[in-house]
Amino acid sequence: METVVDQVASPRRVVIVGGGFGGLFCAKALKRAPLETVVVDRNNYHLFQPLLYQVASAALSPADIAQPIRTILRDQQNSLVVLGEVDRVALAENRIYVNGEGVPYDYLVLAPGAVDNYFGHADWARAAPGMKAVEDATRIRSRLLLSFERAEFDKDPANRSAHLSFVIVGGGPTGVELAGAIRELAVDVIPRDFRRADMRRARVILIEAGSRLLPTFDPLLSEKALRQLVELGVDVRLGAPVTAIDEDGVEVAGERLRSHNVIWAAGVRAAAVVQSLGAELGPGGRVKVEQDCSIPGHPNVFVIGDAAYLVDSHTGRQVPGVSQGALQMGRYVAKVIQEDLKGKRRLREMGFHYRDLGSMATIGRFRAIAQIGRFRSSGLLAWLGWLALHITVLIGFRSRFSVLLSWIYSYVFVRRGSRLITRAGPAPDTAPAGQRQPATQPR
Amino acid sequence: METVVDQVASPRRVVIVGGGFGGLFCAKALKRAPLETVVVDRNNYHLFQPLLYQVASAALSPADIAQPIRTILRDQQNSLVVLGEVDRVALAENRIYVNGEGVPYDYLVLAPGAVDNYFGHADWARAAPGMKAVEDATRIRSRLLLSFERAEFDKDPANRSAHLSFVIVGGGPTGVELAGAIRELAVDVIPRDFRRADMRRARVILIEAGSRLLPTFDPLLSEKALRQLVELGVDVRLGAPVTAIDEDGVEVAGERLRSHNVIWAAGVRAAAVVQSLGAELGPGGRVKVEQDCSIPGHPNVFVIGDAAYLVDSHTGRQVPGVSQGALQMGRYVAKVIQEDLKGKRRLREMGFHYRDLGSMATIGRFRAIAQIGRFRSSGLLAWLGWLALHITVLIGFRSRFSVLLSWIYSYVFVRRGSRLITRAGPAPDTAPAGQRQPATQPR
């Protein structure tokens, strides 16, 4: 891609792989640097992943939580955005390969994010799709909505209850938020629209192998979250490892649960592209990076965000795979690179330190938990805090208002504005067949 | 589907095929009738098709112009909504078959709408997709946006201009509105986001085989629309029949136009399901119905909307294939059925008469044409009228505000809120391959 070099003032180029929180904030932090930044992403948009579960549960539209990366970096003249798939990193050549074409770099920042981790059970992916991309969320949404359509006309009580059983595997924030949202959809939003099946019978089962929900939170809040979910009517199973998943349901702690709607939220691993680094990998295929987020022996190559494994030397704790972690690493690496250009090493020697700004999870309407520093909150206050925070941090003017509007619709009018069953994409999935030969099984 | 009969008070059932304007307004008009209405649609939502072009041009999200049929009919206790594909109509049995299951009716109202008509060139569908469904619109949107991504990095001037050539076949309202919207996208919205290719060079070519645009409008307005499009920079070709379409472009009036973005808006024909009626078909495969919209020999079976061919006995003109036509037919048939129950025939004998409430088309921001009765308008006034009308008629509280918001974003801030390149569905299309092996061809 020499042509790109031709066209820029500075010969120095930072190639950033991934337009998520890590990559995007790294690029933005380099706005005034005498550098060219090239952001490569397989999608043309930055996705606000923490709200993806709201697309899956028909509250928001994809466009509400996604903005074109180009638009975000529009006024950043030193940035170039490339839509493409990164095949591999060739450290020896200081190049990455995008759709087979070599793209040279002076600095490389890998922020490819994570993919669903089935812990060796790849065959579960088909029956229990995860939720990492827009297409995943719309596919899950279609499958959810289709289940109600099927339940309406299925006269076999066993089948009907299978259609109305929604199983979520994984008690982390995604699982907890999804369980709450689906339960509310089934109990508050959907029933009025149907005539025959009683959708309030819908069961939402949240399965967690560990002993408590939200393991990264204060145990007190895990307890609160559990209580709030149970209040909502979610069937929470703790210490219950899943031993089998197929089209017809899951097997958990020896028990068979019939369901045509199993969603995987049990864990993630680093995107495969980092394997081409040949660096040592930690848990979840994350790259074991140095304290400055670079990889051993390559001070100009950094891995940040969900793809990086870094134990903070201050706290002795692993930097968590959350947006704040990625975002802070992105900004840190941007500073390190700028120091490098000046021949300084101060920040490198200091190393990256994660600043915990707190974490939150919504359990549903008016229900949430939050911990900020020593502060703990649950219920309405936490929920309002969550609402305010997410409205303000959402990237993009339009999204913010559109989301606010959709939330008024969801939370005040108890409706869902995006209840569309659309034909799903090519990815492996049970839904499309079901959709092209739709819903009703009248007998 | 006897079970359905069991469950309802009234033994009389009206089965309505299609939840578009015709079917939906027919069902709504039967709200207080001592009847059961069953609305069958292959989608779970009513689509506000007149604005589909705004989804294709990245201004609106699908959820902005679609509402679940169940939600619209929620409070109508005598209505049942069935998500399903209608295989055929069995007149002799008084049943239709939905996903292979027989559904008996006392009255049948067929409002299946129209599909793209390639006039015997089925092979053109792949290279020149039409725009009838949500999936079509999102697929066209992805292809449009992808073209700019490709143009950004394609060093071959000929290829670049092919990426930046958008050809719309058909000068009716859809073609005119789409041409204006795409030209504005390319000239006002997109360029600021790119660094290398000058997207203002994008050519939008609108091809019409006939001698003027918008043939159903007053010739004066056709002229105005032409002028407005030309002002926008659209290359309009009149009296120019398309003789060939393939992946690399079109052949029009002997000239070869290279383009990777050809969109079909040249005509529609009735949905195939009406063929199973064995009734006589008029132009575009429309069913030649009696003056009361019933089919010859079957006073209890009606065909309305785009699938019906009816010459209004007052005006001597064919009822146009527009939403108003379908909507008015739907309401008329609902009244006829209710009279029937009372043994009256007044409305049947009067026959259906189309009331032309006027028509409008937007050419772009602040540009439109409108004719209402003798009144003719073009430019800003017509555009404001168009805006007001569409905001008010949009079905569903949430949509109305969300659309208003998106339009403020599009028209005031000159941005587009839904610029997402998503993986397309299974339908035949060139885009998915392009998307999974994206965009850049850096050399």
Side-chain angles (χ1 to χ4, degrees), chain A residues 281-422:
Chain A
L281 302 182
R286 294 181 173 79
V287 178
K288 287 188 169 174
V289 294
E290 307 282 4
Q291 290 298 311
D292 63 2
C293 297
S294 68
I295 62 173
H298 296 273
N300 65 326
V301 177
F302 304 86
V303 181
I304 62 174
D306 289 356
Y309 177 81
L310 175 58
V311 174
D312 190 313
S313 62
H314 284 187
T315 61
R317 276 203 251 92
Q318 185 191 342
V319 178
V322 297
S323 51
Q324 269 299 320
L327 186 156
Q328 290 177 27
M329 281 175 153
R331 285 179 172 159
Y332 168 80
V333 166
K335 292 203 198 87
V336 166
I337 290 171
Q338 290 175 83
E339 271 200 351
D340 232 46
L341 296 176
K342 304 184 190 120
K344 296 196 199 137
R345 301 186 43 80
R346 194 180 60 86
L347 281 164
R348 274 198 195 270
E349 279 148 14
M350 278 177 54
F352 172 76
H353 300 294
Y354 175 62
R355 183 148 167 268
D356 186 352
L357 297 176
S359 27
M360 295 178 154
T362 31
I363 281 82
R365 191 173 167 226
F366 309 148
R367 291 187 174 90
I369 58 160
Q371 70 183 44
I372 296 135
R374 281 198 185 65
F375 173 75
R376 302 279 176 274
S377 168
S378 62
L380 184 60
L381 180 64
W383 184 79
L384 291 170
W386 170 85
L387 197 64
L389 180 76
H390 283 77
I391 288 289
T392 44
V393 297
L394 265 186
I395 292 167
F397 160 89
R398 183 249 184 192
S399 293
R400 219 175 292 167
F401 284 79
S402 171
V403 167
L404 181 59
L405 184 82
S406 300
W407 282 347
I408 289 169
Y409 195 71
S410 304
Y411 295 126
V412 180
F413 295 89
V414 198
R415 297 187 175 193
R416 297 286 169 97
S418 307
R419 281 171 45 196
L420 309 188
I421 298 174
T422 48

Side-chain angles (χ1 to χ4, degrees), chain B residues 22-46:
Chain B
L24 194 58
F25 280 82
C26 182
K28 286 157 76 79
L30 289 169
K31 180 169 185 173
R32 282 174 191 73
L35 284 160
E36 176 197 29
T37 61
V38 179
V39 178
V40 184
D41 197 294
R42 64 190 303 271
N43 291 318
N44 75 316
Y45 49 83
H46 166 80

Side-chain angles (χ1 to χ4, degrees), chain A residues 44 70 83, chain B residues 145-153 194 421 439:
Chain A
N44 75 317
R70 296 190 175 286
L83 177 66
Chain B
L145 297 173
L146 208 50
S147 298
F148 293 109
E149 299 290 339
R150 293 214 172 98
E152 174 82 337
F153 291 101
F194 289 84
I421 299 174

Side-chain angles (χ1 to χ4, degrees), chain B residues 84-313:
Chain B
E85 199 79 60
V86 175
D87 316 316
R88 64 190 177 89
V89 179
L91 290 173
E93 311 168 30
N94 282 336
R95 286 167 180 269
I96 62 168
Y97 282 83
V98 181
N99 306 337
E101 301 284 341
V103 178
Y105 61 80
D106 298 294
Y107 293 94
L108 177 63
V109 181
L110 289 169
V115 296
D116 290 302
N117 188 354
Y118 289 89
F119 304 103
H121 295 282
D123 53 311
W124 291 358
R126 189 180 162 76
M131 196 177 57
K132 299 300 293 175
V134 161
E135 291 83 358
D136 301 333
T138 50
R139 207 176 296 120
I140 287 172
R141 180 182 72 189
S142 294
R143 212 166 65 141
L144 280 175
L145 297 173
L146 208 50
S147 298
F148 293 109
E149 299 290 339
R150 293 214 172 98
E152 174 82 337
F153 291 101
D154 202 322
K155 303 247 308 305
D156 176 334
N159 286 339
R160 197 163 56 237
S161 81
H163 291 310
L164 292 180
S165 294
F166 305 95
V167 176
I168 295 137
V169 183
T174 304
V176 165
E177 295 185 313
L178 201 50
I182 292 174
R183 175 68 187 167
E184 287 191 330
L185 178 70
V187 174
D188 302 332
V189 181
I190 289 283
R192 293 175 286 170
D193 289 9
F194 289 84
R195 299 277 177 264
R196 302 170 67 191
D198 178 4
M199 302 307 171
R200 277 173 296 266
R201 292 232 193 86
R203 292 168 70 205
V204 177
I205 303 152
L206 178 60
I207 297 173
E208 167 56 43
S211 59
R212 64 177 175 112
L213 298 172
L214 304 169
T216 63
F217 283 69
D218 182 321
L220 177 90
L221 291 179
S222 300
E223 196 43 51
K224 285 260 169 64
L226 173 61
R227 207 169 312 148
Q228 292 182 357
L229 282 170
V230 171
E231 278 169 24
L232 261 178
V234 175
D235 175 354
V236 182
R237 313 279 180 102
L238 296 174
V242 168
T243 49
I245 301 180
D246 58 40
E247 303 296 347
D248 198 52
V250 302
E251 196 177 278
V252 53
E255 183 188 357
R256 177 85 194 164
L257 297 172
R258 274 196 75 196
S259 166
H260 300 147
N261 261 284
V262 184
I263 301 169
W264 187 258
V268 297
R269 55 182 172 76
V273 64
V274 298
Q275 289 162 17
S276 62
L277 292 170
E280 190 189 347
L281 303 181
R286 294 180 174 79
V287 178
K288 287 187 170 174
V289 294
E290 306 283 4
Q291 289 298 311
D292 63 1
C293 299
S294 68
I295 62 173
H298 296 274
N300 65 326
V301 177
F302 304 86
V303 181
I304 63 174
D306 288 356
Y309 177 81
L310 174 59
V311 174
D312 190 312
S313 62

